[in-house]
Amino acid sequence: MRFEGTGSYIADKDLMVAVNAAIALERPLLVKGEPGTGKTELAIQVAEALGLDLIQWHVKSTTRAQQGLYEYDAVSRLRDSQLGDDRFNDINNYIRRGKLWEAFAAEKKTVLLIDEIDKADIEFPNDLLQELDKMEFHVYETGETVKARQRPIVIITSNNEKELPDAFLRRCFFHYIRFPQPDTLARIVEVHYPGIKQRLVSEALKQFYEIREVPGLKKKPSTSEALDWIRLLVADDVAPEDLRGDAKNALPKLHGALLKNEQDVHLFERLAFMARRQG
């Protein structure tokens, strides 16, 4: 069982090595990188390439580790007991399986995505240490122990918003997805928009990387934003020669696809003003 990329996902050699190493070691693969570099999409493509079902657990700031195992609805059971509902007699009616339980109970191997783990509380990763390590957990309400029938391939993503605990990191295989080089990003564009005008792509990517290098930029545009921007340029039939070659001289065309906060827009406006004065 080896991952070698897919036709719709450009994976470099180091990323494929990381995925296959995590599979061989049977350890979670922790993937970090700038937002928009394809971390979440990686899990989707690994599942597709290996012919496995994908179970996705999208973590929020309010997510608790226990929710990934199961949740016991004591309030509903109390209400049913007061109403004389027969469901009250079976506690299993009030236990809702979480994403880890789904992955553990699956008869076939699955890919389990734990997406943006750094959004949750700092203790969240530690609360999953034993479950991800031993691939089992105890259900206190019923007294049963849930063990994984097939060890899932676990892919965990992080945007590096919080430092993850050392004990958790020791149990993972780590890979950082670097921002793609221009030739790699050009291949990604070609995959998404086959047959696109190469002159337009070349000029657009030149300006895109110049924008990313502007000093003081609060949020650098990501891969997904580059794809959106190029799509808009094609839709508006913008000619390559109409794109400004120097990102410091003016706001780029359709800049709303690239600059996502007012500070960066003001930065480009100031640069444009200074460039006009010097001119």
PDB file of all heavy atoms in Angstrom, residues 15-38:
ATOM      1  N   LEU A  15       6.947  14.559   0.051  1.00  0.00           N
ATOM      2  CA  LEU A  15       5.611  14.345   0.603  1.00  0.00           C
ATOM      3  C   LEU A  15       5.185  12.890   0.442  1.00  0.00           C
ATOM      4  O   LEU A  15       4.623  12.291   1.366  1.00  0.00           O
ATOM      5  CB  LEU A  15       4.608  15.279  -0.075  1.00  0.00           C
ATOM      6  CG  LEU A  15       3.153  15.159   0.377  1.00  0.00           C
ATOM      7  CD1 LEU A  15       3.026  15.346   1.881  1.00  0.00           C
ATOM      8  CD2 LEU A  15       2.274  16.156  -0.358  1.00  0.00           C
ATOM      9  N   MET A  16       5.456  12.306  -0.711  1.00  0.00           N
ATOM     10  CA  MET A  16       5.102  10.895  -0.920  1.00  0.00           C
ATOM     11  C   MET A  16       5.885   9.991   0.026  1.00  0.00           C
ATOM     12  O   MET A  16       5.347   9.018   0.564  1.00  0.00           O
ATOM     13  CB  MET A  16       5.346  10.499  -2.375  1.00  0.00           C
ATOM     14  CG  MET A  16       4.355  11.131  -3.340  1.00  0.00           C
ATOM     15  SD  MET A  16       4.480  10.504  -5.033  1.00  0.00           S
ATOM     16  CE  MET A  16       6.000  11.294  -5.570  1.00  0.00           C
ATOM     17  N   VAL A  17       7.157  10.328   0.257  1.00  0.00           N
ATOM     18  CA  VAL A  17       7.970   9.555   1.205  1.00  0.00           C
ATOM     19  C   VAL A  17       7.368   9.638   2.607  1.00  0.00           C
ATOM     20  O   VAL A  17       7.278   8.638   3.319  1.00  0.00           O
ATOM     21  CB  VAL A  17       9.430  10.067   1.219  1.00  0.00           C
ATOM     22  CG1 VAL A  17      10.198   9.498   2.411  1.00  0.00           C
ATOM     23  CG2 VAL A  17      10.129   9.687  -0.080  1.00  0.00           C
ATOM     24  N   ALA A  18       6.922  10.843   2.998  1.00  0.00           N
ATOM     25  CA  ALA A  18       6.340  11.028   4.330  1.00  0.00           C
ATOM     26  C   ALA A  18       5.068  10.213   4.491  1.00  0.00           C
ATOM     27  O   ALA A  18       4.858   9.559   5.527  1.00  0.00           O
ATOM     28  CB  ALA A  18       6.063  12.512   4.571  1.00  0.00           C
ATOM     29  N   VAL A  19       4.193  10.249   3.491  1.00  0.00           N
ATOM     30  CA  VAL A  19       2.939   9.487   3.565  1.00  0.00           C
ATOM     31  C   VAL A  19       3.231   7.999   3.685  1.00  0.00           C
ATOM     32  O   VAL A  19       2.666   7.304   4.547  1.00  0.00           O
ATOM     33  CB  VAL A  19       2.062   9.764   2.328  1.00  0.00           C
ATOM     34  CG1 VAL A  19       0.856   8.820   2.306  1.00  0.00           C
ATOM     35  CG2 VAL A  19       1.590  11.208   2.313  1.00  0.00           C
ATOM     36  N   ASN A  20       4.125   7.502   2.859  1.00  0.00           N
ATOM     37  CA  ASN A  20       4.413   6.069   2.874  1.00  0.00           C
ATOM     38  C   ASN A  20       5.150   5.642   4.138  1.00  0.00           C
ATOM     39  O   ASN A  20       4.964   4.520   4.626  1.00  0.00           O
ATOM     40  CB  ASN A  20       5.210   5.691   1.625  1.00  0.00           C
ATOM     41  CG  ASN A  20       4.375   5.834   0.359  1.00  0.00           C
ATOM     42  OD1 ASN A  20       3.198   5.470   0.343  1.00  0.00           O
ATOM     43  ND2 ASN A  20       4.969   6.357  -0.698  1.00  0.00           N
ATOM     44  N   ALA A  21       5.966   6.545   4.692  1.00  0.00           N
ATOM     45  CA  ALA A  21       6.645   6.232   5.954  1.00  0.00           C
ATOM     46  C   ALA A  21       5.639   6.112   7.093  1.00  0.00           C
ATOM     47  O   ALA A  21       5.726   5.215   7.934  1.00  0.00           O
ATOM     48  CB  ALA A  21       7.690   7.301   6.270  1.00  0.00           C
ATOM     49  N   ALA A  22       4.673   7.035   7.127  1.00  0.00           N
ATOM     50  CA  ALA A  22       3.647   6.988   8.168  1.00  0.00           C
ATOM     51  C   ALA A  22       2.811   5.716   8.050  1.00  0.00           C
ATOM     52  O   ALA A  22       2.445   5.103   9.059  1.00  0.00           O
ATOM     53  CB  ALA A  22       2.750   8.226   8.069  1.00  0.00           C
ATOM     54  N   ILE A  23       2.520   5.307   6.821  1.00  0.00           N
ATOM     55  CA  ILE A  23       1.760   4.071   6.613  1.00  0.00           C
ATOM     56  C   ILE A  23       2.562   2.871   7.096  1.00  0.00           C
ATOM     57  O   ILE A  23       2.037   1.982   7.784  1.00  0.00           O
ATOM     58  CB  ILE A  23       1.379   3.919   5.125  1.00  0.00           C
ATOM     59  CG1 ILE A  23       0.396   5.015   4.708  1.00  0.00           C
ATOM     60  CG2 ILE A  23       0.785   2.539   4.864  1.00  0.00           C
ATOM     61  CD1 ILE A  23       0.092   5.035   3.217  1.00  0.00           C
ATOM     62  N   ALA A  24       3.857   2.839   6.757  1.00  0.00           N
ATOM     63  CA  ALA A  24       4.701   1.714   7.148  1.00  0.00           C
ATOM     64  C   ALA A  24       4.883   1.640   8.664  1.00  0.00           C
ATOM     65  O   ALA A  24       4.878   0.554   9.253  1.00  0.00           O
ATOM     66  CB  ALA A  24       6.061   1.812   6.460  1.00  0.00           C
ATOM     67  N   LEU A  25       5.042   2.806   9.306  1.00  0.00           N
ATOM     68  CA  LEU A  25       5.242   2.846  10.756  1.00  0.00           C
ATOM     69  C   LEU A  25       3.936   2.708  11.531  1.00  0.00           C
ATOM     70  O   LEU A  25       3.969   2.507  12.751  1.00  0.00           O
ATOM     71  CB  LEU A  25       5.906   4.167  11.149  1.00  0.00           C
ATOM     72  CG  LEU A  25       7.349   4.381  10.693  1.00  0.00           C
ATOM     73  CD1 LEU A  25       7.786   5.809  10.995  1.00  0.00           C
ATOM     74  CD2 LEU A  25       8.289   3.384  11.388  1.00  0.00           C
ATOM     75  N   GLU A  26       2.809   2.846  10.825  1.00  0.00           N
ATOM     76  CA  GLU A  26       1.488   2.845  11.452  1.00  0.00           C
ATOM     77  C   GLU A  26       1.389   3.930  12.522  1.00  0.00           C
ATOM     78  O   GLU A  26       0.895   3.715  13.620  1.00  0.00           O
ATOM     79  CB  GLU A  26       1.154   1.464  12.042  1.00  0.00           C
ATOM     80  CG  GLU A  26       1.025   0.383  10.982  1.00  0.00           C
ATOM     81  CD  GLU A  26       0.514  -0.923  11.546  1.00  0.00           C
ATOM     82  OE1 GLU A  26       0.810  -1.227  12.727  1.00  0.00           O
ATOM     83  OE2 GLU A  26      -0.191  -1.638  10.816  1.00  0.00           O
ATOM     84  N   ARG A  27       1.884   5.106  12.148  1.00  0.00           N
ATOM     85  CA  ARG A  27       1.810   6.270  13.024  1.00  0.00           C
ATOM     86  C   ARG A  27       1.045   7.382  12.323  1.00  0.00           C
ATOM     87  O   ARG A  27       1.019   7.442  11.081  1.00  0.00           O
ATOM     88  CB  ARG A  27       3.199   6.776  13.398  1.00  0.00           C
ATOM     89  CG  ARG A  27       3.960   5.866  14.363  1.00  0.00           C
ATOM     90  CD  ARG A  27       5.230   6.531  14.848  1.00  0.00           C
ATOM     91  NE  ARG A  27       5.938   5.717  15.836  1.00  0.00           N
ATOM     92  CZ  ARG A  27       5.678   5.722  17.131  1.00  0.00           C
ATOM     93  NH1 ARG A  27       4.709   6.501  17.591  1.00  0.00           N
ATOM     94  NH2 ARG A  27       6.357   4.965  17.958  1.00  0.00           N
ATOM     95  N   PRO A  28       0.427   8.280  13.087  1.00  0.00           N
ATOM     96  CA  PRO A  28      -0.246   9.423  12.447  1.00  0.00           C
ATOM     97  C   PRO A  28       0.754  10.285  11.679  1.00  0.00           C
ATOM     98  O   PRO A  28       1.894  10.466  12.119  1.00  0.00           O
ATOM     99  CB  PRO A  28      -0.832  10.196  13.641  1.00  0.00           C
ATOM    100  CG  PRO A  28      -0.936   9.195  14.743  1.00  0.00           C
ATOM    101  CD  PRO A  28       0.224   8.264  14.547  1.00  0.00           C
ATOM    102  N   LEU A  29       0.317  10.802  10.550  1.00  0.00           N
ATOM    103  CA  LEU A  29       1.132  11.734   9.782  1.00  0.00           C
ATOM    104  C   LEU A  29       0.667  13.146  10.131  1.00  0.00           C
ATOM    105  O   LEU A  29      -0.480  13.511   9.880  1.00  0.00           O
ATOM    106  CB  LEU A  29       0.959  11.488   8.277  1.00  0.00           C
ATOM    107  CG  LEU A  29       1.626  12.519   7.354  1.00  0.00           C
ATOM    108  CD1 LEU A  29       3.136  12.522   7.536  1.00  0.00           C
ATOM    109  CD2 LEU A  29       1.255  12.264   5.897  1.00  0.00           C
ATOM    110  N   LEU A  30       1.551  13.919  10.745  1.00  0.00           N
ATOM    111  CA  LEU A  30       1.255  15.304  11.087  1.00  0.00           C
ATOM    112  C   LEU A  30       1.784  16.191   9.967  1.00  0.00           C
ATOM    113  O   LEU A  30       2.986  16.214   9.701  1.00  0.00           O
ATOM    114  CB  LEU A  30       1.910  15.681  12.421  1.00  0.00           C
ATOM    115  CG  LEU A  30       1.799  17.154  12.834  1.00  0.00           C
ATOM    116  CD1 LEU A  30       0.337  17.573  13.000  1.00  0.00           C
ATOM    117  CD2 LEU A  30       2.582  17.406  14.126  1.00  0.00           C
ATOM    118  N   VAL A  31       0.868  16.912   9.322  1.00  0.00           N
ATOM    119  CA  VAL A  31       1.223  17.749   8.177  1.00  0.00           C
ATOM    120  C   VAL A  31       1.020  19.212   8.539  1.00  0.00           C
ATOM    121  O   VAL A  31      -0.075  19.612   8.942  1.00  0.00           O
ATOM    122  CB  VAL A  31       0.371  17.396   6.939  1.00  0.00           C
ATOM    123  CG1 VAL A  31       0.826  18.215   5.735  1.00  0.00           C
ATOM    124  CG2 VAL A  31       0.461  15.914   6.635  1.00  0.00           C
ATOM    125  N   LYS A  32       2.084  20.001   8.401  1.00  0.00           N
ATOM    126  CA  LYS A  32       2.001  21.435   8.616  1.00  0.00           C
ATOM    127  C   LYS A  32       2.329  22.158   7.315  1.00  0.00           C
ATOM    128  O   LYS A  32       2.898  21.583   6.388  1.00  0.00           O
ATOM    129  CB  LYS A  32       2.964  21.889   9.721  1.00  0.00           C
ATOM    130  CG  LYS A  32       2.585  21.436  11.117  1.00  0.00           C
ATOM    131  CD  LYS A  32       3.502  22.068  12.156  1.00  0.00           C
ATOM    132  CE  LYS A  32       3.125  21.658  13.574  1.00  0.00           C
ATOM    133  NZ  LYS A  32       3.979  22.322  14.593  1.00  0.00           N
ATOM    134  N   GLY A  33       2.009  23.440   7.280  1.00  0.00           N
ATOM    135  CA  GLY A  33       2.284  24.255   6.105  1.00  0.00           C
ATOM    136  C   GLY A  33       1.378  25.467   6.094  1.00  0.00           C
ATOM    137  O   GLY A  33       0.423  25.554   6.863  1.00  0.00           O
ATOM    138  N   GLU A  34       1.692  26.399   5.220  1.00  0.00           N
ATOM    139  CA  GLU A  34       0.853  27.594   5.091  1.00  0.00           C
ATOM    140  C   GLU A  34      -0.573  27.188   4.737  1.00  0.00           C
ATOM    141  O   GLU A  34      -0.785  26.176   4.060  1.00  0.00           O
ATOM    142  CB  GLU A  34       1.384  28.512   3.991  1.00  0.00           C
ATOM    143  CG  GLU A  34       2.684  29.212   4.311  1.00  0.00           C
ATOM    144  CD  GLU A  34       3.091  30.167   3.198  1.00  0.00           C
ATOM    145  OE1 GLU A  34       2.185  30.747   2.548  1.00  0.00           O
ATOM    146  OE2 GLU A  34       4.295  30.325   2.959  1.00  0.00           O
ATOM    147  N   PRO A  35      -1.570  27.971   5.181  1.00  0.00           N
ATOM    148  CA  PRO A  35      -2.945  27.705   4.732  1.00  0.00           C
ATOM    149  C   PRO A  35      -3.014  27.731   3.209  1.00  0.00           C
ATOM    150  O   PRO A  35      -2.403  28.567   2.555  1.00  0.00           O
ATOM    151  CB  PRO A  35      -3.745  28.866   5.341  1.00  0.00           C
ATOM    152  CG  PRO A  35      -2.943  29.299   6.527  1.00  0.00           C
ATOM    153  CD  PRO A  35      -1.510  29.104   6.141  1.00  0.00           C
ATOM    154  N   GLY A  36      -3.759  26.792   2.653  1.00  0.00           N
ATOM    155  CA  GLY A  36      -3.925  26.757   1.203  1.00  0.00           C
ATOM    156  C   GLY A  36      -2.874  25.986   0.450  1.00  0.00           C
ATOM    157  O   GLY A  36      -2.816  26.048  -0.780  1.00  0.00           O
ATOM    158  N   THR A  37      -2.034  25.228   1.164  1.00  0.00           N
ATOM    159  CA  THR A  37      -0.992  24.455   0.480  1.00  0.00           C
ATOM    160  C   THR A  37      -1.393  23.002   0.251  1.00  0.00           C
ATOM    161  O   THR A  37      -0.562  22.192  -0.137  1.00  0.00           O
ATOM    162  CB  THR A  37       0.338  24.501   1.274  1.00  0.00           C
ATOM    163  OG1 THR A  37       0.084  24.172   2.645  1.00  0.00           O
ATOM    164  CG2 THR A  37       0.972  25.864   1.193  1.00  0.00           C
ATOM    165  N   GLY A  38      -2.655  22.664   0.502  1.00  0.00           N
ATOM    166  CA  GLY A  38      -3.135  21.324   0.146  1.00  0.00           C
ATOM    167  C   GLY A  38      -3.045  20.297   1.244  1.00  0.00           C
ATOM    168  O   GLY A  38      -2.996  19.095   0.945  1.00  0.00           O
TER     169      GLY A  38
END
